[in-house]
Amino acid sequence: MNTVNGAPESPRSPRVGRNILGMPRRRRIRLGRWATPLGIAGAVVAVAWILIAIFAPLVAPHDPLAQNLPILQAPGEGTVMGTDALGRDVFSRLLYGARVTIPLSLLLVGMSVVVGVIIGAVSGFFGRWIDETLMRITDLVMAFPTVILAMVIAAALGASLFNAVIAALVVSWPSYARLTRSLVLSLRSANYVVSGQLLGFSPLTSLRRDVAPNIVGPVLVLASLDIGTAILLLSGLSFLGLGAKPPTAEWGLMVSDAMQNFDAWWLGVFPGLAILTIVIAFNLIGDAIRDVLDPTADTLRNGGATL
């Protein structure tokens, strides 16, 4: 049987290293999914789309709004991805569409995180009637189907990208509020939080110094996974005519335009593939971040390279 400093080592527990003073070392975090091809592929695809969104004016061969090409020209006949029913270059519109869909999705997730975290933290930390009021509002929003409620709000506000983001924000923040509240409830009675309050910390100081650093990981994981959902939601609203308005180059609107020309397959296939690749990429990134930050994951014990 193996021993550590003369004491028998349990065969079921992993070996815990010791430093020069004989004290146990803290377990090292491992890279987990970031060391696998899927995690790397997701990051590469996401970065590639972000770069495309930034440099679209330099890469696009045509003005996305110009109607100076043959109508419904198939891919390869003078254009990379063909043209639409108005003679606009599909490839150029696809590149410019990334400048609309991706930034708005990131903005939507960022605002949802801010609103949801604030509401969840206040609700979980202060409790009592504040908790009851905020959670009943959260339950009310979550009681409606997400897409249906977003459609109703967007239709009431009027069809535009700004109103689509507002509608998506209304239905997106409750998940962050619920997650943050559960984390704060488990942390507010911790010894270090109570000790800080005994030392005179105000509730806001305790939230900022003692609670906030311990909820960043789970919230970051949820946000990274939610980017793909935000892209689908905004594209869906534009597809239904409640988001981007013509002639804006936006992926959901491009798929909607393709519904009027089923024979021209390229009108819907290419923007659909763009949505598919970016959503899968951010989902893989979210899985990778979750594996890195989850201390109970198997990859933290057995897989990947160490930090």
Side-chain angles (χ1 to χ4, degrees):
M1 179 179 298
N2 297 329
T3 62
V4 178
N5 291 345
E9 179 186 8
S10 173
R12 295 185 179 179
S13 60
R15 181 185 297 273
V16 179
R18 293 179 177 269
N19 57 24
I20 190 172
L21 298 177
M23 300 297 292
R25 296 195 188 100
R26 185 177 62 181
R27 189 186 300 278
R28 295 176 294 179
I29 297 177
R30 299 178 182 273
L31 291 179
R33 187 177 287 270
W34 286 117
T36 67
L38 288 179
I40 297 174
V44 170
V45 172
V47 171
W49 272 117
I50 292 174
L51 292 177
I52 288 173
I54 295 174
F55 297 106
L58 302 178
V59 180
H62 300 280
D63 185 340
L65 304 181
Q67 305 176 19
N68 55 0
L69 297 174
I71 295 175
L72 296 178
Q73 188 178 58
E77 299 179 3
T79 55
V80 177
M81 295 182 180
T83 61
D84 62 9
L86 297 177
R88 298 173 297 190
D89 182 46
V90 174
F91 179 62
S92 299
R93 290 180 61 79
L94 188 74
L95 298 182
Y96 273 84
R99 296 172 63 89
V100 177
T101 303
I102 296 177
L104 286 181
S105 300
L106 295 176
L107 175 64
L108 169 59
V109 172
M111 292 191 301
S112 300
V113 169
V114 172
V115 175
V117 167
I118 292 176
I119 293 177
V122 171
S123 176
F125 195 83
F126 292 97
R128 299 181 180 179
W129 65 269
I130 297 178
D131 183 31
E132 286 293 326
T133 302
L134 294 178
M135 285 303 101
R136 296 301 75 79
I137 296 174
T138 303
D139 292 338
L140 179 63
V141 176
M142 298 184 72
F144 294 92
T146 301
V147 177
I148 301 299
L149 181 58
M151 290 172 53
V152 171
I153 297 174
L157 295 176
S160 70
L161 278 173
F162 176 79
N163 292 338
V165 173
I166 297 300
L169 172 62
V170 172
V171 301
S172 298
W173 66 264
S175 58
Y176 297 96
R178 279 290 185 182
L179 174 63
T180 303
R181 175 181 179 270
S182 64
L183 294 172
V184 172
L185 285 175
S186 64
L187 292 171
R188 69 178 184 179
S189 59
N191 292 333
Y192 60 89
V193 177
V194 176
S195 299
Q197 293 175 336
L198 293 176
L199 291 174
F201 289 174
S202 66
L204 292 179
T205 302
S206 295
L207 278 172
R208 177 175 56 85
R209 296 187 55 177
D210 298 330
V211 177
N214 293 286
I215 67 175
V216 170
V219 171
L220 179 61
V221 171
L222 179 59
S224 59
L225 290 171
D226 213 25
I227 295 176
T229 303
I231 293 174
L232 290 175
L233 182 57
L234 292 177
S235 298
L237 291 176
S238 295
F239 175 82
L240 296 172
L242 299 173
K245 298 169 62 176
T248 304
E250 198 275 337
W251 292 343
L253 185 59
M254 292 175 67
V255 176
S256 178
D257 293 340
M259 298 292 292
Q260 303 174 11
N261 298 276
F262 281 105
D263 293 336
W265 56 268
W266 57 90
L267 297 182
V269 168
F270 291 120
L273 289 176
I275 296 173
L276 175 66
T277 55
I278 191 65
V279 169
I280 291 178
F282 278 111
N283 284 344
L284 292 176
I285 292 175
D287 288 341
I289 296 176
R290 178 189 60 194
D291 290 343
V292 170
L293 298 179
D294 185 4
T296 63
D298 290 338
T299 52
L300 297 178
R301 297 192 298 268
N302 302 321
T306 59
L307 292 178

